[in-house]
Amino acid sequence: MRLFPRRTFHHGVHPDPDKAATRDQPVRRFPFAPLLLVPLEQHAGNPARPVVREGQEVRRGQKLGEADGEISAAVHAPASGVIRQLGLVPSPLGRLVSGVFLEPWPGSTQEVTDGTPCELETATPAEIITAVQDAGIVGLGGAAFPTHAKLRVEPGQVETLIINGAECEPYLTTDYRVMLEQTEDLVLGIRYVLKATGAKQAILAVEHHARDALEKVRGLAADLPLELRSLDVKYPQGAEKVLIKTLLDREVPSGRIPVEIGVICINAATVAEIGRLLPHGRGILERVVTFAGSAIAQKGNYRIPIGTPLRFALEQVGMAEDVGRVLLGGPMMGQAVANLDVPITKGISGVIALTATRPGRIHPCIRCARCLDACPLDLNPAELGALARAGEHDRMAREYHLDDCFECGACSFVCPSHLPLVQEFRAAKQHLKRQQRLSG
């Protein structure tokens, strides 16, 4: 195992990290809400297929929905209780999705139901991947892509496994706390993923302020082909394509995915969940979430049951009356919510509540090129924005690589005219998707 010097990437921005309020606080456990709203669609791909009925009593850890196809993930009961309803629940996506209304039993010990353990020493790569799917594990960094689908590769296809602990979003410290407090789970998860993929080497990358997590890992992973990398603090350091370029000096071609250049990149908290759950045959029932921002009284990191209504969660941590915005995720890429009744899902790493402020007035583009200097993928946000406002969405995709934009928000952050560039790009992508559905 080798420790490498710090590195960084081309372009990017330097927002205030704002992590001091939560980074040194141990993870605390959240209480169960009186009613949990568990979406069956909280991951990329097909929603889980329900396997319970209304009125049924379930145990904590029991499967509520099974994966429906390769790009899908199982969903488990985050608490022991009674299924009150199968119906539509509000989702962070801004629409109603199929879900389960689960009423936890008051006074229950909430012991977790174990399944069939997946033993590292004896399991085949295929059995590990199946166990990851049965556990319902998805990317916990925000994308919520089913992890088993990412691990299912051809023999010899993957050379390098990157464990992404570069938590570059302001406020968020969930990955950092997980790496510090679940170090054994993280290292065991690395062992599982190395065996599942056949990767020859692994790299754990963190930003420089989280380097103490590397020292904890070093003491437990001396026998692994693992490199430890400390990176300069810059945004969006943790973006998959950016991180691969920083660590390996390889570019993922436009429209392609990392495995096509022999790389798999997985969030550190996701790997830790693999190490925590697979030895017991359990499903993912909860996750660590950062609660922070000027409108939160009890800032910190909390292990919170999946399906907890956001309104209940904010009451527990003390939301100010003059709250202006609530974001799911970080302030750069997070999504503002209009409905506080949406539930916490697997892909939510942070809840940021900010007091009301007056938005900056939008002005015409002054062609300053700051957005070009900020974009980590060397796109032209100014031209993309102009085309979006002109309604030339096809040209955005065809000539200016709109699909390569992962909506990091660096361009909007530096724009002196306060242009809502990222929102314009998202709207353009949605327009193109609608066109594809109508034509196909």
Side-chain angles (χ1 to χ4, degrees):
M1 183 176 58
R2 296 180 289 173
L3 180 63
F4 281 71
R6 289 158 58 182
R7 296 185 62 179
T8 189
F9 64 97
H10 185 54
H11 291 181
V13 295
H14 292 88
D16 186 344
D18 280 317
K19 297 178 185 283
T22 61
R23 74 180 304 275
D24 295 325
Q25 294 191 36
V27 174
R28 290 169 278 178
R29 183 167 290 279
F30 233 72
F32 290 99
L35 185 67
L36 300 173
L37 313 179
V38 186
L40 295 170
E41 183 178 343
Q42 51 179 301
H43 48 259
N46 296 331
R49 185 169 53 246
V51 294
V52 292
R53 65 184 185 280
E54 293 182 358
Q56 180 178 342
E57 296 182 350
V58 295
R59 304 294 303 182
R60 189 174 182 217
Q62 182 176 333
K63 208 173 269 190
L64 299 178
E66 60 186 10
D68 184 15
E70 174 64 10
I71 309 300
S72 184
V75 174
H76 300 77
S80 297
V82 180
I83 306 298
R84 291 302 182 197
Q85 184 181 349
L86 299 177
L88 297 177
V89 301
S91 82
L93 303 173
R95 54 186 173 84
L96 296 174
V97 299
S98 59
V100 177
F101 293 75
L102 173 60
E103 181 181 339
W105 284 326
S108 171
T109 60
Q110 296 297 345
E111 295 180 4
V112 182
T113 300
D114 282 358
T116 303
C118 178
E119 302 290 351
L120 175 64
E121 292 76 14
T122 58
T124 65
E127 288 170 340
I128 293 172
I129 293 168
T130 298
V132 170
Q133 184 173 27
D134 288 342
I137 298 172
V138 303
L140 300 182
F145 187 81
T147 303
H148 70 274
K150 184 176 282 192
L151 300 181
R152 204 181 298 280
V153 296
E154 298 295 328
Q157 187 177 11
V158 176
E159 176 187 345
T160 303
L161 165 67
I162 294 176
I163 300 97
N164 184 356
E167 198 170 26
C168 58
E169 273 270 11
Y171 293 109
L172 303 187
T173 55
T174 63
D175 292 346
Y176 173 67
R177 293 311 312 178
V178 166
M179 288 187 289
L180 281 183
E181 298 182 37
Q182 295 179 233
T183 314
E184 292 184 1
D185 293 335
L186 175 64
V187 174
L188 182 56
I190 294 172
R191 297 182 191 276
Y192 272 109
V193 177
L194 283 171
K195 186 171 184 180
T197 62
K200 298 179 177 61
Q201 66 170 346
I203 302 173
L204 172 59
V206 304
E207 290 197 310
H208 188 59
H209 54 66
R211 62 193 180 279
D212 50 339
L214 297 181
E215 296 305 319
K216 288 203 68 176
V217 171
R218 188 211 296 262
L220 296 173
D223 62 318
L224 285 176
L226 176 65
E227 298 176 1
L228 303 178
R229 300 284 186 96
S230 174
L231 308 171
D232 282 349
V233 177
K234 190 195 290 189
Y235 181 85
Q237 188 86 253
E240 186 175 70
K241 290 184 178 182
V242 173
L243 191 59
I244 291 170
K245 176 65 176 176
T246 299
L247 296 174
L248 303 175
D249 196 26
R250 298 186 206 168
E251 291 189 6
V252 180
S254 176
R256 311 296 284 272
I257 58 177
V259 73
E260 296 181 65
I261 61 168
V263 180
I264 288 180
C265 186
I266 307 180
N267 168 264
T270 308
V271 176
E273 282 300 285
I274 291 174
R276 186 170 78 98
L277 299 177
L278 263 60
H280 307 284
R282 295 175 181 171
I284 183 167
L285 316 177
E286 55 195 10
R287 65 153 300 150
V288 178
V289 179
T290 298
F291 284 79
S294 55
I296 297 290
Q298 299 175 43
K299 301 175 180 65
N301 293 291
Y302 297 86
R303 187 172 292 280
I304 184 167
I306 301 299
T308 300
L310 182 58
R311 188 183 303 278
F312 174 87
L314 290 169
E315 289 172 354
Q316 298 297 310
V317 298
M319 184 178 68
E321 293 183 1
D322 62 340
V323 63
R325 283 190 303 163
V326 176
L327 301 169
L328 301 180
M332 298 294 287
M333 292 187 70
Q335 180 179 357
V337 294
N339 181 1
L340 295 184
D341 294 318
V342 301
I344 297 294
T345 60
K346 298 176 186 179
I348 294 175
S349 56
V351 175
I352 312 301
L354 305 171
T355 49
T357 56
R358 294 185 62 184
R361 183 180 174 186
I362 297 175
H363 297 278
C365 176
I366 60 173
R367 315 299 288 181
C368 66
R370 292 185 190 177
C371 57
L372 278 75
D373 290 336
C375 180
L377 296 184
D378 291 315
L379 302 179
N380 189 332
E383 192 63 30
L384 281 165
L387 292 171
R389 291 186 286 277
E392 298 190 40
H393 303 121
D394 290 333
R395 190 178 172 199
M396 292 172 70
R398 185 176 63 253
E399 297 181 24
Y400 290 89
H401 307 286
L402 173 65
D403 289 340
D404 287 340
C405 171
F406 56 87
E407 302 168 17
C408 70
C411 55
S412 297
F413 179 77
V414 299
C415 180
S417 296
H418 304 291
L419 290 168
L421 294 169
V422 171
Q423 288 82 356
E424 292 173 341
F425 303 160
R426 287 175 181 165
K429 290 179 182 179
Q430 290 170 0
H431 174 83
L432 290 170
K433 286 180 181 178
R434 285 194 298 270
Q435 280 189 325
Q436 290 174 354
R437 285 197 299 268
L438 292 174
S439 62

